[in-house]
Amino acid sequence: MTNSQRVQAAGAKRRRLMSAAARTVHRQGVERTTIADIARAADVPVGNVYYYFKTKDDLVAAALDEHRQQLELITGELDDLPDPRERLKRLVEGWVAQRDMAVRHGCPTGTLAAELGKREESELADATGDLVRRLLAWVEAQFRELGQPEPDALAVTLVGAYQGMSLLANALRDPQVMTREGARLTAWLDSL
Amino acid sequence: MTNSQRVQAAGAKRRRLMSAAARTVHRQGVERTTIADIARAADVPVGNVYYYFKTKDDLVAAALDEHRQQLELITGELDDLPDPRERLKRLVEGWVAQRDMAVRHGCPTGTLAAELGKREESELADATGDLVRRLLAWVEAQFRELGQPEPDALAVTLVGAYQGMSLLANALRDPQVMTREGARLTAWLDSL
Amino acid sequence: MTNSQRVQAAGAKRRRLMSAAARTVHRQGVERTTIADIARAADVPVGNVYYYFKTKDDLVAAALDEHRQQLELITGELDDLPDPRERLKRLVEGWVAQRDMAVRHGCPTGTLAAELGKREESELADATGDLVRRLLAWVEAQFRELGQPEPDALAVTLVGAYQGMSLLANALRDPQVMTREGARLTAWLDSL
Amino acid sequence: MTNSQRVQAAGAKRRRLMSAAARTVHRQGVERTTIADIARAADVPVGNVYYYFKTKDDLVAAALDEHRQQLELITGELDDLPDPRERLKRLVEGWVAQRDMAVRHGCPTGTLAAELGKREESELADATGDLVRRLLAWVEAQFRELGQPEPDALAVTLVGAYQGMSLLANALRDPQVMTREGARLTAWLDSL
DNA sequence: TATGAATGAGGCTTCATTCAT
DNA sequence: AATGAATGAAGCCTCATTCAT
């Protein structure tokens, strides 16, 4: 194995841990996820986890970062579309497409925010806030490009609707919540 | 102390524990709340808690029940209003009035749903679903009384908006989310 | 078992833990002593230790307190002697009598001071300092009663000699260090 | 890099590790010092430490050796003085000159002895004993040269006083202990 | 020799739950 | 019913040591 391969492998391991952390925390919640759970999911010996992340909170932060990357990937792709309205509609489509995930575990970011939001003076709570703000900012930019007044309020409405429908779909174990609300949001975007 | 007083005191203790469980779990989340936390908040010796609730999950169920009682209290009062539209608007008003709580700890039911929704095959998850359904049913009844088509979808929209705005207000630590979205919902209800 | 007996038993357990902590820490040093070591020595289940002491440092503080009690017991008895010179000579005698302990593990307070003195801004370091000061204060009082000038300096000399001879006896594994130095100190006290 | 340069560099690394071990262990104590601490202080990668020292105990032994070298350096220089009394007085002077170090971390050898002396059947304990004996032997030689009877006992007294005053200075965080006791020892040496 | 990475044993601590009165 | 105390199963984290190259 060459040096660069080793570095790559090491980077890969770190990334595996980040992804495993994101996945496991989404499925089980922060507090019900143990380091051992994440280690197992990443196929890494428990003791070795601490070589990459000093504390469990660091791993949770990494999970947040993973979601941030996901977000940027998605919005980055949507940015290729010429029409901001189309971008928003595709965003909603994506949410609906993931409805089964929402039914089982809720929105990854939203449930993380709900759990971490209870911590006071916490870096993790702040980081979750940042992540949410990032999504809001992107959505707001689309509304602004559409020439809408109060694009920030519209962004809160749209993202809030997504959070609400994910939470209800999860609580009711009903994917229809996602499809129906998704359709409503799409219609609403078209009506603007 | 007479026998009936003792029974009453015991009932009071149980109720104190329920209320303390609801309050503490709302503030800290299920997993970060210990039995000792609840016992302290209820001013009940730890060992005694188990006389009233066999397990921690039972206490969480009791917290859910406490929220259910709250819900019934509120909807019961609203039912006194003659106009269903007014009832819904007052409901939204109540949400906005509690914005500081939402900012600090989110919606009690919603955050509980987010945390418990991760559990599979869990009575607690089911119970949370029931609680959410109860609210939805009441809201749906109002929309039906208003002669709206698809009152169930409208209920999901309204309650989802509440869940979403609570989550965002909490994540962003911003009460304005509640006031602005509240105003929008009120206007929407007026427009129906 | 009556209530008072139970309380007594509980107190006894706490005291057993304190004594075990003092003994074990003296024998093994702070860092090489585990909570499990102390629990075993006190015949208490590990988990139960935390009912009495919140942290390991608390247990070490308790060990210090145990030594403080020992010190007060000893000086209290010596205070019954009418002559302060005699008191000091008996103190030295006591040190020499314990020479085998010194050879094996050094002076309990001194070795604790050596180990904890490395911690900066530490309550334990402060507590050790207090304990040392207590002994110094008592010795100083005797020298003052003897009409000696600079009784505080003499106290430092005497206690310092004790610490030094204990350390050397331990390092050299030689009880003679204690007897010879003890004799010298006795002669010195007589010469004042 | 030539072969000899490499060997020299390697030797330098080894020496750097020894010195770092001595310094770090003196500051933090044996058990609170990690291999990583020493590696960092020596600016050597952790994994590389084991090329020079097989175990942590070997590193501690190296620290002891470092102190032995220091001792020999000091006594070697003092041996240049013609008068043994002067040599001893200068030794004491050196101790007092280092009072701030004593206040912060105690005597390097003494605190090591206190910590390692608790180990039974330990090579490290033996090695510490040897180091102490070396100092005693040198001091004893001076007293012998001065024609004092029982030079070994006098050596124990002097070195013991040093250990005692270092320990007290450290425990009380008071450099005055060093200056006052140093002055007393100097006067004592003059009086012999 | 040099080095980042890996490994696993063990220590501290928490906490739901049970026990003895 | 009431209560302090007891119990033990985890969970998080550290660290000496080893490995692979």
Side-chain angles (χ1 to χ4, degrees):
Chain A
M1 195 187 259
T2 69
N3 220 333
S4 88
Q5 275 177 318
R6 214 180 308 128
V7 166
Q8 204 179 27
K13 209 164 188 179
R14 193 175 205 285
R15 248 173 287 128
R16 231 161 60 227
L17 280 166
M18 283 183 70
S19 151
R23 203 174 346 128
T24 313
V25 161
H26 179 214
R27 278 201 258 225
Q28 309 183 356
V30 172
E31 298 296 335
R32 288 171 76 91
T33 295
T34 70
I35 301 265
D37 287 339
I38 297 172
R40 200 177 317 116
D43 196 32
V44 166
V46 194
N48 197 14
V49 171
Y50 287 88
Y51 184 79
Y52 297 95
F53 300 96
K54 252 184 267 302
T55 64
K56 183 182 175 182
D57 272 8
D58 277 6
L59 260 175
V60 176
L64 275 171
D65 208 52
E66 184 79 7
H67 290 308
R68 190 185 49 70
Q69 282 177 40
Q70 273 302 309
L71 174 62
E72 260 153 38
L73 198 71
I74 290 167
T75 55
E77 282 181 8
L78 292 177
D79 281 333
D80 289 342
L81 296 175
D83 179 20
R85 188 191 316 270
E86 197 56 32
R87 290 185 207 130
L88 291 172
K89 286 169 69 179
R90 289 282 180 88
L91 180 66
V92 171
E93 257 178 51
W95 292 341
V96 174
Q98 307 239 51
R99 60 187 173 283
D100 286 340
M101 179 203 73
V103 164
R104 259 181 309 195
H105 312 109
C107 163
T109 301
T111 51
L112 220 29
E115 197 171 357
L116 297 175
K118 310 242 184 229
R119 303 197 188 177
E120 323 203 330
E121 316 266 329
S122 144
E123 283 183 28
L124 282 178
D126 295 347
T128 319
D130 285 347
L131 179 50
V132 170
R133 247 179 287 270
R134 239 169 235 270
L135 172 56
L136 284 169
W138 184 87
V139 172
E140 178 182 343
Q142 312 313 310
F143 280 122
R144 176 167 296 118
E145 205 173 325
L146 275 174
Q148 290 293 326
E150 303 197 63
D152 55 341
L154 291 176
V156 165
T157 298
L158 184 61
V159 174
Y162 167 49
Q163 292 304 335
M165 72 203 231
S166 299
L167 192 148
L168 292 181
N170 178 236
L172 304 175
R173 304 275 132 120
D174 179 5
Q176 269 221 333
V177 169
M178 298 296 288
T179 45
R180 283 205 312 195
E181 279 289 292
R184 181 183 67 81
L185 289 175
T186 302
W188 174 60
L189 288 171
D190 274 326
S191 77
L192 288 177
Chain B
M1 194 188 256
T2 69
N3 228 331
S4 89
Q5 274 177 320
R6 219 179 291 130
V7 166
Q8 200 178 31
K13 230 174 193 179
R14 192 173 207 285
R15 248 172 288 129
R16 238 160 53 223
L17 280 167
M18 284 183 70
S19 152
R23 202 174 347 128
T24 312
V25 161
H26 179 215
R27 281 195 216 164
Q28 312 183 353
V30 173
E31 296 297 333
R32 287 171 77 91
T33 295
T34 68
I35 300 267
D37 287 339
I38 297 172
R40 200 178 320 114
D43 196 32
V44 166
V46 197
N48 200 9
V49 172
Y50 282 82
Y51 180 77
Y52 298 96
F53 299 96
K54 248 189 272 301
T55 66
K56 185 181 176 182
D57 274 7
D58 280 2
L59 258 174
V60 176
L64 276 171
D65 208 52
E66 183 80 8
H67 290 308
R68 190 185 49 70
Q69 282 178 40
Q70 273 300 309
L71 173 62
E72 262 154 35
L73 199 70
I74 290 168
T75 54
E77 282 181 7
L78 292 176
D79 280 335
D80 289 344
L81 295 174
D83 180 20
R85 186 190 317 270
E86 197 56 31
R87 288 184 207 132
L88 290 172
K89 285 168 71 179
R90 290 283 180 87
L91 179 67
V92 172
E93 257 178 51
W95 291 341
V96 174
Q98 308 241 50
R99 60 186 173 282
D100 287 337
M101 178 204 72
V103 165
R104 260 182 307 195
H105 312 110
C107 163
T109 302
T111 52
L112 218 32
E115 196 171 357
L116 297 174
K118 311 253 183 213
R119 305 198 188 177
E120 326 205 329
E121 317 268 330
S122 143
E123 285 184 25
L124 281 178
D126 295 348
T128 319
D130 285 349
L131 178 50
V132 170
R133 246 181 287 271
R134 235 170 242 268
L135 172 56
L136 284 169
W138 184 87
V139 171
E140 178 181 343
Q142 312 313 310
F143 280 122
R144 176 168 295 117
E145 204 173 326
L146 274 174
Q148 290 292 326
E150 304 196 66
D152 55 341
L154 290 176
V156 165
T157 298
L158 184 62
V159 174
Y162 168 49
Q163 292 304 335
M165 72 202 231
S166 299
L167 193 148
L168 292 182
N170 179 234
L172 304 175
R173 305 272 130 123
D174 179 6
Q176 269 221 332
V177 168
M178 298 296 288
T179 45
R180 285 205 309 193
E181 280 288 292
R184 182 183 68 80
L185 291 175
T186 301
W188 173 61
L189 288 170
D190 274 327
S191 78
L192 288 176
Chain C
M1 195 187 257
T2 69
N3 221 332
S4 89
Q5 275 177 318
R6 213 180 311 129
V7 166
Q8 201 179 28
K13 211 167 188 178
R14 195 176 203 283
R15 248 173 286 128
R16 230 159 63 224
L17 279 166
M18 284 183 69
S19 151
R23 202 174 346 129
T24 313
V25 162
H26 180 214
R27 279 201 258 226
Q28 309 183 354
V30 172
E31 298 296 334
R32 289 172 75 92
T33 295
T34 69
I35 301 263
D37 287 339
I38 296 172
R40 200 177 319 114
D43 196 32
V44 167
V46 193
N48 197 12
V49 171
Y50 286 85
Y51 185 80
Y52 297 94
F53 299 96
K54 252 186 265 306
T55 65
K56 184 181 175 181
D57 272 8
D58 277 6
L59 259 175
V60 176
L64 275 171
D65 208 52
E66 184 80 6
H67 290 308
R68 190 184 50 70
Q69 282 176 39
Q70 273 300 311
L71 173 63
E72 260 154 36
L73 198 71
I74 291 167
T75 54
E77 282 181 6
L78 292 177
D79 280 334
D80 289 343
L81 296 175
D83 180 21
R85 187 190 316 272
E86 197 55 31
R87 289 183 207 131
L88 291 171
K89 285 168 70 179
R90 290 281 180 89
L91 179 66
V92 172
E93 256 177 53
W95 291 340
V96 173
Q98 306 239 50
R99 62 187 172 282
D100 287 339
M101 178 204 73
V103 164
R104 262 182 307 197
H105 312 111
C107 163
T109 302
T111 52
L112 219 31
E115 197 171 357
L116 297 175
K118 310 243 183 228
R119 304 198 187 176
E120 324 203 328
E121 316 265 328
S122 143
E123 282 184 29
L124 282 178
D126 295 348
T128 320
D130 284 349
L131 178 51
V132 170
R133 246 180 286 271
R134 237 170 239 268
L135 172 57
L136 284 169
W138 185 86
V139 172
E140 179 183 340
Q142 313 312 311
F143 280 122
R144 176 167 295 117
E145 204 173 326
L146 274 175
Q148 290 292 327
E150 304 196 65
D152 55 340
L154 291 176
V156 166
T157 299
L158 184 61
V159 174
Y162 167 50
Q163 293 302 334
M165 71 203 232
S166 299
L167 192 149
L168 292 182
N170 178 236
L172 305 175
R173 304 276 131 122
D174 180 4
Q176 268 220 331
V177 169
M178 297 297 287
T179 45
R180 284 205 311 195
E181 280 288 293
R184 181 183 68 79
L185 290 175
T186 303
W188 174 60
L189 288 171
D190 274 328
S191 77
L192 287 176
Chain D
M1 194 189 259
T2 69
N3 227 332
S4 90
Q5 273 177 319
R6 218 178 295 130
V7 166
Q8 201 179 30
K13 232 175 193 179
R14 192 173 209 285
R15 247 172 289 127
R16 239 163 47 227
L17 280 167
M18 284 183 69
S19 151
R23 201 173 351 128
T24 312
V25 162
H26 179 214
R27 280 195 217 164
Q28 311 182 354
V30 173
E31 296 298 333
R32 288 171 77 92
T33 295
T34 69
I35 301 268
D37 286 339
I38 297 172
R40 199 179 319 116
D43 197 31
V44 166
V46 197
N48 200 8
V49 171
Y50 282 82
Y51 179 77
Y52 297 96
F53 300 96
K54 249 187 274 299
T55 65
K56 184 181 177 182
D57 274 7
D58 280 2
L59 259 173
V60 176
L64 276 171
D65 208 51
E66 183 81 6
H67 290 308
R68 190 185 49 70
Q69 282 177 40
Q70 273 299 310
L71 174 63
E72 261 154 36
L73 198 71
I74 290 167
T75 54
E77 282 180 7
L78 292 177
D79 281 334
D80 290 343
L81 297 174
D83 179 20
R85 186 190 317 269
E86 197 56 31
R87 288 183 208 133
L88 291 172
K89 285 168 71 180
R90 289 282 181 87
L91 180 66
V92 172
E93 257 177 52
W95 292 340
V96 173
Q98 307 240 51
R99 59 186 173 282
D100 287 339
M101 178 204 73
V103 164
R104 260 182 309 195
H105 312 111
C107 163
T109 302
T111 51
L112 259 178
E115 197 171 357
L116 297 174
K118 311 250 184 216
R119 304 197 187 176
E120 326 206 327
E121 317 269 327
S122 145
E123 285 183 25
L124 282 177
D126 295 348
T128 319
D130 285 348
L131 178 50
V132 170
R133 247 180 286 270
R134 237 171 239 269
L135 172 56
L136 284 169
W138 185 87
V139 171
E140 178 183 342
Q142 312 312 311
F143 280 122
R144 177 167 294 116
E145 206 173 324
L146 274 175
Q148 290 292 327
E150 303 197 65
D152 55 340
L154 291 176
V156 166
T157 298
L158 185 62
V159 174
Y162 168 49
Q163 293 303 336
M165 71 203 230
S166 299
L167 192 149
L168 292 182
N170 178 235
L172 305 175
R173 305 273 133 119
D174 180 5
Q176 269 220 332
V177 169
M178 298 296 287
T179 46
R180 284 206 309 196
E181 280 289 291
R184 181 183 68 80
L185 291 174
T186 302
W188 173 61
L189 289 170
D190 274 328
S191 77
L192 288 177

